[in-house]
Amino acid sequence: MNSARDPRIAIVGAGLGGLACARVLQRHGRSATVFEREASADARPQGGTLDLHADTGQTALRAAGLLDPFHALARPEGEEWRVLDFTDAALLAHQGPSAGGGRPEIDRGQLRELLLDSLTEGTVRWDRAVSRVTPLADGTCRLLFADGAAEDFDLVVGADGAWSRVRPALSHAAPRYTGVTFVETGFDHCDTRHPDLARLVGNGSMLAKGAGRSLVAQRNSNGHIRAYIALRTPQDWHMAAGIDLGDQRAVRAHLLRMFDDWDESLRYILRDSDSGFINRPLFVLPAPHTWQHVAGVTLLGDAAHLMPPVGLGANLAMLDGSDLAHALVTEPSIDDAVRAYESIMLPRSIEAATSSAQGLDHLVPAVTS
Ligand SMILES: Cc1cc2nc3c(=O)[nH]c(=O)nc-3n(C[C@H](O)[C@H](O)[C@H](O)COP(=O)(O)OP(=O)(O)OC[C@H]3O[C@@H](n4cnc5c(N)ncnc54)[C@H](O)[C@@H]3O)c2cc1C
């Protein structure tokens, strides 16, 4: 990029997509500042395990120069998948790790730490929530922070996830409920404290599904199993059932009733989990989600293409970040770079959103009367 000075690039959000973008830029000698609303790197647990695909997440890590440290942390055996019959827990289908370890698993927290540690000190400004973005007439963009401060940049990258504050500068689209809610719970020291469940889950993931209800359990690092109780249900299911989500015993009892025709070894997930239940209604952006190019601002990851969580979102967010950074270091101007990036990211995300919607239908089958 030909510029008399280093362009001022702001990345809003220190998720996997924003961090991948910052890392690839820095690897090419460019600077960027990441503004993150959370107070610190460990302000909240980062969530479960992710399988990184060779053609997306791993491609981004290669561009970031982090593929080897990734492989040192990753769990290739975690690729294993089991599908069980919900009535008797019999094995219906089994897929072992692919030859060559195409999609190794890694805990999201480990991956985020790897990216954070790779950045120049001070790149991430913690506790800097962005409230709004205003494109300016000269092609630059103004960031307004929640504390009332404002700062102008040559490019603002919205990497701020599902409920992006940057997105309204480009599009009126808003996330809508998918009709599916994941209720998350977890098990610690599974091999010693929950050996039967550990055997059911194996080294990777286990799925059992019935009409409108599924159970997914995934082995994370350190003997932790994270489970999702997937429900095809109105978003206010707990209110309709008269349940206070803060009353964990009531949630547990209700879920056990919902799965009363399931095999007891699977109901164990509802009955004996160590952690409480976290309600996670799933939202998506309308697909296709596109926008007219606006100088000085773009989106990546969930901010651009929030889709059902069936294994693509984090991979695509990282690839977006890496592709955008690559365009910024190879194209002659910021505007050319953003146009080049959007011309590959938008069609790719439309395709992925369609396949993810089908994936969610497969994961949690509709109730047919
Ligand atoms: C239950 C579940 C399981 C999933 N499993 C998988 C999987 O197996 N594989 C996969 O590929 N994907 C998976 N996904 C999807 C994946 O989590 C997302 O697609 C991915 O995290 C998107 O990354 P991102 O960087 O775009 O956004 P995020 O990870 O959401 O990061 C956004 C960042 O922006 C910050 N932020 C938000 N608002 C502001 C603001 N106003 N100002 C400053 N900072 C802000 C947030 O604090 C956050 O740090 C799953 C999702 C869910 C819900």
Side-chain angles (χ1 to χ4, degrees):
M1 188 182 309
N2 303 321
S3 171
R5 58 173 169 75
D6 201 12
R8 300 161 302 175
I9 298 175
I11 298 170
V12 183
L16 298 176
L19 295 176
C21 187
R23 165 66 181 173
V24 176
L25 281 170
Q26 288 188 353
R27 247 195 128 204
H28 291 274
R30 303 302 165 101
S31 53
T33 307
V34 180
F35 295 101
E36 168 57 48
R37 72 175 168 194
E38 289 180 352
S40 67
D42 48 12
R44 70 173 164 91
Q46 287 299 308
T49 180
L50 301 168
D51 58 320
L52 286 204
H53 305 185
D55 57 349
T56 49
Q58 290 185 50
T59 301
L61 283 176
R62 185 176 295 106
L66 297 173
L67 201 54
D68 287 344
F70 159 72
H71 280 301
L73 291 167
R75 290 173 279 110
E77 71 282 6
E79 251 193 279
E80 184 182 3
W81 255 99
R82 295 170 181 199
V83 181
L84 306 185
D85 189 320
F86 80 87
T87 62
D88 58 4
L91 189 64
L92 297 176
H94 176 249
Q95 200 180 308
S98 57
R103 295 183 172 189
E105 296 275 340
I106 186 168
D107 284 12
R108 181 194 292 264
Q110 292 176 313
L111 183 58
R112 187 171 187 244
E113 201 175 305
L114 183 66
L115 284 160
L116 280 171
D117 289 350
S118 74
L119 296 174
T120 311
E121 213 179 325
T123 302
V124 181
R125 308 274 168 85
W126 300 100
D127 209 5
R128 296 291 280 150
V130 167
S131 56
R132 192 151 52 89
V133 172
T134 310
L136 303 174
D138 64 357
T140 62
C141 218
R142 180 156 299 160
L143 268 193
L144 292 163
F145 294 91
D147 62 7
E151 211 174 323
D152 293 351
F153 290 89
D154 298 304
L155 177 64
V156 171
V157 180
D160 51 341
W163 304 100
S164 172
R165 294 300 189 103
V166 181
R167 190 189 301 127
L170 291 166
S171 137
H172 296 299
R176 65 163 180 80
Y177 179 57
T178 53
V180 175
T181 290
F182 280 6
V183 182
E184 182 185 316
T185 193
F187 300 81
D188 297 320
H189 310 293
C190 65
D191 294 304
T192 47
R193 295 189 48 194
H194 307 283
D196 292 341
L197 178 65
R199 269 192 295 276
L200 274 189
V201 174
N203 289 321
S205 301
M206 177 228 86
L207 164 68
K209 54 184 180 176
R213 295 160 299 167
S214 298
L215 292 178
V216 182
Q218 297 185 303
R219 188 181 276 262
N220 293 212
S221 66
N222 294 325
H224 184 75
I225 288 178
R226 191 174 300 257
Y228 300 104
I229 300 120
L231 307 173
R232 199 167 274 283
T233 182
Q235 197 184 337
D236 64 354
W237 66 272
H238 44 96
M239 289 193 268
I243 289 172
D244 171 1
L245 285 176
D247 182 348
Q248 297 289 315
R249 287 176 61 168
V251 176
R252 198 182 288 282
H254 182 74
L255 292 172
L256 279 164
R257 279 195 298 276
M258 288 183 85
F259 286 76
D260 62 357
D261 52 344
W262 282 48
D263 186 79
E264 278 308 313
S265 63
L266 294 166
R267 292 179 87 233
Y268 183 92
I269 291 173
L270 314 169
R271 204 180 50 237
D272 287 294
S273 59
D274 294 321
S275 26
F277 297 96
I278 305 169
N279 192 54
R280 297 194 187 283
L282 302 182
F283 289 82
V284 289
L285 278 170
H289 176 231
T290 59
W291 57 86
Q292 290 293 319
H293 172 78
V294 174
V297 56
T298 193
L299 302 173
L300 63 74
D302 280 4
H305 45 65
L306 178 66
M307 52 188 78
V310 292
L312 282 179
N315 280 278
L316 287 178
M318 292 172 66
L319 186 64
D320 289 353
S322 153
D323 282 351
L324 175 58
H326 181 257
L328 286 165
V329 296
T330 53
E331 294 291 333
S333 71
I334 285 188
D335 207 51
D336 288 326
V338 172
R339 284 179 191 278
Y341 157 72
E342 289 175 348
S343 75
I344 50 169
M345 181 275 289
L346 288 170
R348 165 170 84 204
S349 66
I350 292 167
E351 210 175 292
T354 307
S355 72
S356 294
Q358 290 164 352
L360 188 64
D361 289 342
H362 183 67
L363 191 74
V364 197
V367 184
T368 48
S369 50

